[in-house]
Amino acid sequence: MDARINIIDERLKNIKRIIAVSGGKGGIGKSSVASVLALNLSKTGHKVGLMDLDFCGPSDHTILNIGNVFPEEKNGVIPPEIHGIKFMSIIYYASDKPLPVRGIDISNALIELLAITIWDKLDFLIIDMPPGIGDTTMDVIRLIKKIEFLIVTTQSKVTLEIVKKMLKLLKELKIPILGILENMKTTNLSLVKNQLKMFDVAFLGSIHFDEDFEEAIGNTSELIETGFSRDLIKVIKQNELFAQYM
């Protein structure tokens, strides 16, 4: 038995809600959703943490322009706070270099990161997950007892097929699913809603493709005013599990 697993429970005990933002493939806007959601929750006065667990391509620090701030070591690791968000990422240990780990090495890195990070009291911890169903996703489900999943998808048929597998797995494991969020919507078709209705999971709504979003990356004042951000908050407010916080 790995003693660090008991430490993880202790580290997370004062966090009210832990939400994993996940999806079937890379490039669907999962990190944008996680980052902008954390930013909006922070702006409404909540204590928020953001953890980037995308070992393949961490990017939350770029989206939110989290530069030369680093964790403090004191009986563990205390995440730096910027834009009102406590932030932890694998980027602090890999820098901008590729992280050539797999299998048991990924699991060990994840357990270590969860065990050493001191969050204290939070209303929300938003976890930016890697794409698909891999070692990190399975370990997060195993290690974080009160995890909830927010599933991001696009209209892509390829993405939808992978999302179906993810939903089936989460359902079988009885993991709470907040709902499905359609990103980068470009047509009026209800493809996502129709394709996934068989899973009896809430379809939260759509974020339309925002051609100005890329220009706002790195500027939180502009990010919060984008069409992407407005659509996201509109969708989240419609979810009764979020409405009381927004």
Side-chain angles (χ1 to χ4, degrees):
M1 178 69 177
D2 192 329
R4 294 175 298 175
I5 293 176
N6 291 329
I7 297 175
I8 291 171
D9 292 339
E10 182 69 19
R11 298 299 195 202
L12 302 177
K13 72 177 183 180
N14 292 320
I15 301 174
K16 292 179 181 177
R17 298 187 61 192
I18 304 176
I19 299 171
V21 179
S22 189
K25 289 181 66 64
I28 60 174
K30 172 182 52 61
S31 295
S32 298
V33 168
S35 298
V36 176
L37 176 58
L39 187 62
N40 273 285
L41 288 168
S42 171
K43 294 294 183 184
T44 51
H46 300 291
K47 293 181 179 179
V48 181
L50 175 63
M51 192 173 204
D52 194 340
L53 289 184
D54 192 342
F55 286 76
C56 301
S59 57
D60 295 347
H61 64 292
T62 301
I63 296 170
L64 297 176
N65 192 23
I66 297 175
N68 295 318
V69 291
F70 300 93
E72 176 187 348
E73 292 190 17
K74 187 178 180 181
N75 300 320
V77 172
I78 301 172
E81 185 169 335
I82 187 166
H83 313 308
I85 300 168
K86 291 186 176 182
F87 180 70
M88 178 56 73
S89 172
I90 193 66
I91 198 73
Y92 287 129
Y93 301 94
S95 188
D96 287 323
K97 299 175 183 178
L99 192 65
V101 294
R102 60 183 183 178
I104 190 65
D105 293 329
I106 291 178
S107 293
N108 277 326
L110 174 61
I111 291 171
E112 185 70 15
L113 201 59
L114 289 172
I116 65 174
T117 305
I118 303 172
W119 295 103
D120 290 330
K121 292 183 179 180
L122 292 177
D123 295 313
F124 292 93
L125 174 59
I126 309 299
I127 300 180
D128 184 4
M129 298 289 290
I133 307 168
D135 291 330
T136 306
T137 299
M138 297 308 298
D139 280 333
V140 163
I141 290 171
R142 175 173 64 93
L143 296 168
I144 303 178
K145 295 181 176 61
K146 54 184 179 181
I147 195 80
E148 306 170 75
F149 273 74
L150 173 61
I151 305 298
V152 180
T153 187
T154 66
Q155 294 179 326
S156 162
K157 293 179 181 179
V158 174
T159 302
L160 283 170
E161 287 305 309
I162 300 175
V163 166
K164 288 176 183 178
K165 293 181 175 66
M166 177 173 288
L167 290 172
K168 184 177 180 181
L169 173 68
L170 294 175
K171 282 279 194 175
E172 288 176 351
L173 295 176
K174 295 181 171 55
I175 304 299
I177 305 171
L178 286 173
I180 299 160
L181 179 64
E182 178 184 17
N183 192 27
M184 295 188 281
K185 188 176 178 69
T186 57
T187 73
N188 293 323
L189 298 176
S190 300
L191 180 64
V192 171
K193 187 174 183 180
N194 292 336
Q195 285 280 317
L196 302 179
K197 63 182 179 182
M198 69 183 75
F199 293 96
D200 192 29
V201 174
F203 176 74
L204 301 178
S206 304
I207 298 175
H208 293 83
F209 179 76
D210 183 359
E211 61 183 14
D212 297 322
F213 183 79
E214 188 71 22
E215 289 298 318
I217 286 177
N219 186 323
T220 55
S221 297
E222 292 183 7
L223 273 177
I224 211 81
E225 298 298 331
T226 58
F228 176 96
S229 179
R230 289 193 296 271
D231 278 355
L232 175 60
I233 295 311
K234 180 180 178 181
V235 166
I236 293 303
K237 280 183 175 179
Q238 293 171 354
N239 184 320
E240 61 183 18
L241 294 174
F242 274 102
Q244 61 181 309
Y245 299 101
M246 304 306 293

